[in-house]
Amino acid sequence: MISKRSFLLVAACTSPFVLGLTACKKGGSGADANEIVIGEVAALTGGTATFGTSSNAGTRMAIDEINAAGGLLGKKLRLVTEDDQSKAGEAGAVAKKLISRDKVVALLGEVASGRSLEMAPIAQKAGVPMISPASTNPKVTEAGDHVFRVCFIDPFQGTVMGKFAISRGWKKVAILTDAKQDYSVGLSQFFKEYFAANGGTITSEQSYSSGDKDFKAQLTKIKADTPDAIFASGYYNETGLIATQARELGIAAPLLGGDGWDSPSLVEVAGPAIEGSFFSNHFSTEDQSPRIQEFVKKYQALNGRLPDAMAALGYDSAMILADAIKRAGTTEGGPLRDAIAATRDFDGITGRITLDPNRNANKPAVILTIADGKFRYVETIQP
Ligand code: PHE
């Protein structure tokens, strides 16, 4: 027998007038004929929490804008977000839940490549299109024809940083990899391939595991070869500690990295130790184009902080999905998949997005440096 309380909740959640209620947003109510349910998997807590909070804020901003403009196909969009806690194993579990419980028409997420790799085969098998905003490891979209991303991939990102190191005249570079993250392992590999093939020498290859706090043993080995720079391909948390400990050991060489550094926490943890280092990214808040400045202003007003790359990519991923739903004229998996695959010259916040036959986006990267505690734009590298 259905209790009075749960009956009321179900009734409230199926009423078109109360779709904004928090109780309805957390899923559990299944799809309603008057709404389109979109699932999002994000790390809202745990070791990479700024990835999820930012991508979620950008995604929500897009969904709210679409609903304010009248929704899609005569319906409102409802975003159901699940927190995977930055934990291995969780992203796959919550993706399954979103598909079976909430009957989502598509999945947005994850940011971290390892977690997108958990979700991808699940989305593929269910015939539910998935768009990762920010996972750059090439293997993610290889999971099948329902898996897309709106960002560039790491063979490009590794090359960008390899070229940059060479352009600075750095001949000897040490590599420090997070062996627990597919992203970091791949990025180190692609950097090494380019750098070594273009006259550079890799002095040492060291590794650690996500969550480690002490990097002195690896850094001591790195220091012995006096490299010109250290390529630290992991995420922001460990990178902040690596920078601090490198300076404590008297290593003055700059650190180089990829988009995984992008978090306000990097500077909070490392302070002066990260000044003068460089990383590649998808977006710079210093880009003066009116479109980007408008996004930056609106995001800042809504969230009280500047958008980072995940925020901009989260926004773009939701907007690309919405554009495809509109073109498909339906949310059915097959036609929706085809419409996403047909995305051409989409004018995103992170650049013009065309999805290639491998469901990846060919886009420029920016290089940023850290100066006076801020991420400052250095240059743009075209693919
Ligand atoms: N590219 C990273 C990955 O694939 C995730 C990331 C994207 C982190 C953008 C920060 C900014 O794991």
Side-chain angles (χ1 to χ4, degrees), residues 36 72-74 105-106 129 148 319-343:
I36 294 172
L72 292 172
L73 315 181
V105 303
F148 301 86
M319 283 299 189
I320 282 186
L321 175 61
D323 178 64
I325 292 175
K326 216 186 300 166
R327 281 186 287 108
T330 170
T331 53
E332 248 171 80
L336 179 55
R337 187 226 82 86
D338 293 348
I340 299 170
T343 300

Side-chain angles (χ1 to χ4, degrees), residues 51 111-113 134-136 183 235 259-260 282 310:
F51 288 173
V111 168
S113 290
S135 290
T136 47
Y183 158 73
Y235 293 137
D259 56 354
H282 307 262
M310 283 77 57

Side-chain angles (χ1 to χ4, degrees), residues 34 42 50 135 156 161 265 316 381:
N34 296 311
T50 72
S135 290
F156 172 61
M161 290 316 285
S265 296
D316 282 350
I381 315 267

Side-chain angles (χ1 to χ4, degrees), residues 86-233:
S86 307
K87 267 194 210 149
E90 262 315 288
V94 297
K96 275 189 194 148
K97 194 152 61 160
L98 287 166
I99 292 170
S100 60
R101 181 195 66 188
D102 300 294
K103 314 276 185 279
V104 298
V105 303
L107 284 168
L108 299 174
E110 230 269 5
V111 168
S113 290
R115 299 195 287 266
S116 285
L117 282 165
E118 286 180 25
M119 294 169 62
I122 293 162
Q124 180 66 28
K125 197 163 159 230
V128 172
M130 158 177 161
I131 306 178
S132 166
S135 290
T136 47
N137 187 281
K139 286 180 289 181
V140 171
T141 46
E142 288 166 16
D145 66 356
H146 280 62
V147 185
F148 301 86
R149 77 180 104 216
V150 299
C151 54
F152 53 67
I153 57 173
D154 287 331
F156 172 61
Q157 187 168 207
T159 299
V160 162
M161 290 316 285
K163 264 189 198 159
F164 179 74
I166 287 165
S167 77
R168 292 268 152 162
W170 296 328
K171 303 242 157 22
K172 299 190 302 176
V173 174
I175 295 182
L176 187 48
T177 302
D178 183 343
K180 281 280 176 339
Q181 297 293 343
D182 299 281
Y183 158 73
S184 180
V185 172
L187 187 57
S188 287
Q189 168 76 26
F190 300 123
F191 172 86
K192 176 181 158 184
E193 274 168 22
Y194 184 89
F195 190 67
N198 288 276
T201 302
I202 302 297
T203 54
S204 158
E205 288 180 70
Q206 302 293 323
S207 67
Y208 61 89
S209 298
S210 303
D212 283 358
K213 301 262 179 272
D214 185 348
F215 305 90
K216 293 248 166 78
Q218 295 94 321
L219 289 166
T220 301
K221 286 191 197 134
I222 286 174
K223 186 185 177 189
D225 302 312
T226 61
D228 300 316
I230 301 170
F231 189 69
S233 61

